[in-house]
Every structure is written in structure tokens, then in C-alpha cells.
Amino acid sequence: MIQNRENLLNAIDAYQTQISKIRKMIEEKDAEDIHQYLKNTNDIRRILNK
């Protein structure tokens, strides 16, 4: 795990960025943006799982 430290830290930073975006949408009660964000995420997951 320590050998992969930089990659793990980069992944954590990326997750934190995405969580911050979702948090802001929830705080602003922006249902349309939340819906679109989740749709895009699901579309990407489907593509990657092929």
C-alpha cells in the first residue's frame, strides 16, 4: 500500500472532488443536476462493465 501511496492519494483527491460536487448540489437542492450527475455516472459504469 505504501508503494502505491501517490496513486492512492490521487484517487482520494478525485473522490473528494466528486463528493464536494454532489454535496453542493444537495445543499442547493438542485435535483436536475443531481439526476444528470447520477445518470452520467451510471452510463460510464455500464460502458466500463462491457
Side-chain angles (χ1 to χ4, degrees):
M1 192 180 217
I2 296 299
Q3 296 168 337
N4 202 19
R5 181 178 165 270
E6 285 302 316
N7 289 333
L8 289 171
L9 291 173
N10 289 337
I12 290 169
D13 289 342
Y15 279 117
Q16 284 178 323
T17 297
Q18 295 307 310
I19 289 170
S20 292
K21 287 179 184 180
I22 295 168
R23 180 183 178 89
K24 183 178 180 199
M25 287 182 253
I26 292 169
E27 287 174 345
E28 295 175 353
K29 300 177 184 176
D30 194 340
E32 182 59 34
D33 280 353
I34 293 169
H35 176 74
Q36 189 61 44
Y37 179 88
L38 294 175
K39 181 186 177 307
N40 291 344
T41 301
N42 288 334
D43 290 346
I44 291 168
R45 184 176 299 146
R46 272 189 226 102
I47 291 167
L48 293 175
N49 286 332
K50 285 185 176 183

